[in-house]
């Protein structure tokens, strides 16, 4: 399974395409199948499709009686689109997904393990400033003894 890391900028063209940086392309199989969807924050998530299938299998195991589960299933699965790299290694972002995150020309891409987050650069900068000023207080389950 692919593993993405690192952050980089990209530009969205007038047709809603961006060139997938080499640092990420090099981790993909030849002629990769990709899935793009809405993220948890105001960003998009780009998966290699085998990783996408594993993630959605876990997501769909959540009980749909839960309002929170339905929300994430609807957001993540309901907005998913299969995408491909064109001959110039660009990804076309459907307008519906561009609108969800109000993407402008300047993007910020973050390799996040099994997917790549795609942010509008200005929105990402605001998000980071907010996180630094008010860091989350909760400790994720399993991270109680985590050390770098």
């Amino acid at each position: 399974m692919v593993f993405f890391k690192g952050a980089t900028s990209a530009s969205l063209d007038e047709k809603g395409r961006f060139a997938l940086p080499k640092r990420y392309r090099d981790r993909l199989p030849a002629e990769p199948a990709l899935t793009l969807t809405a993220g948890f924050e105001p960003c998009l998530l780009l998966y290699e499709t085998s990783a996408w299938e594993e993630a959605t299998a876990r997501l769909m195991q959540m009980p749909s009686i839960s309002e929170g589960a339905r929300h994430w299933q609807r957001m993540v699965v309901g907005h998913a689109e299969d995408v491909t790299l064109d001959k110039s290694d660009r990804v076309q972002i459907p307008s519906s997904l561009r609108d969800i995150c109000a993407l402008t020309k300047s993007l910020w891409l973050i390799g996040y393990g099994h997917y790549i987050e795609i942010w509008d650069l200005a929105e990402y900068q605001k998000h980071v400033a907010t996180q630094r000023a008010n860091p989350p207080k909760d400790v994720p389950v399993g991270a109680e003894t985590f050390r770098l």
Side-chain angles (χ1 to χ4, degrees):
M1 183 175 301
V2 297
F3 190 89
F4 300 105
K5 62 182 180 179
T8 192
S9 62
S11 294
L12 198 61
D13 71 13
E14 65 282 346
K15 294 182 180 179
R17 301 172 300 193
F18 71 95
L20 189 63
K22 184 173 176 11
R23 72 182 309 154
Y24 302 136
R25 285 193 325 265
D26 287 349
R27 297 191 174 275
L28 293 170
E31 298 188 36
L34 302 170
T35 302
L36 186 61
T37 193
F40 304 107
E41 281 101 4
C43 67
L44 300 178
L45 309 177
L46 180 65
Y47 283 87
E48 192 276 325
T49 299
S50 64
W52 162 254
E53 289 168 353
E54 287 185 27
T56 55
R58 289 189 308 273
L59 180 63
M60 296 311 293
Q61 289 176 354
M62 295 167 50
S64 60
I65 195 166
S66 160
E67 183 179 1
R70 285 193 316 274
H71 168 74
W72 288 115
Q73 290 164 344
R74 188 176 299 119
M75 278 301 290
V76 176
V77 177
H79 288 96
E81 298 280 346
D82 293 330
V83 296
T84 58
L85 292 177
D86 68 13
K87 293 176 185 172
S88 299
D89 294 322
R90 294 176 300 198
V91 174
Q92 172 76 48
I93 301 177
S95 61
S96 60
L97 288 174
R98 289 193 311 264
D99 292 346
I100 285 174
C101 299
L103 297 180
T104 61
K105 183 174 177 68
S106 298
L107 304 179
W108 192 245
L109 281 58
I110 302 169
Y112 203 87
H114 299 299
Y115 59 87
I116 299 166
E117 288 186 341
I118 303 169
W119 289 77
D120 179 78
L121 178 59
E123 184 62 35
Y124 182 74
Q125 290 169 333
K126 286 190 323 192
H127 179 75
V128 168
T130 300
Q131 291 287 304
R132 286 190 175 150
N134 303 298
K137 305 273 187 275
D138 67 322
V139 176
V141 174
E144 300 84 2
T145 60
F146 178 78
R147 300 284 183 262
L148 288 176

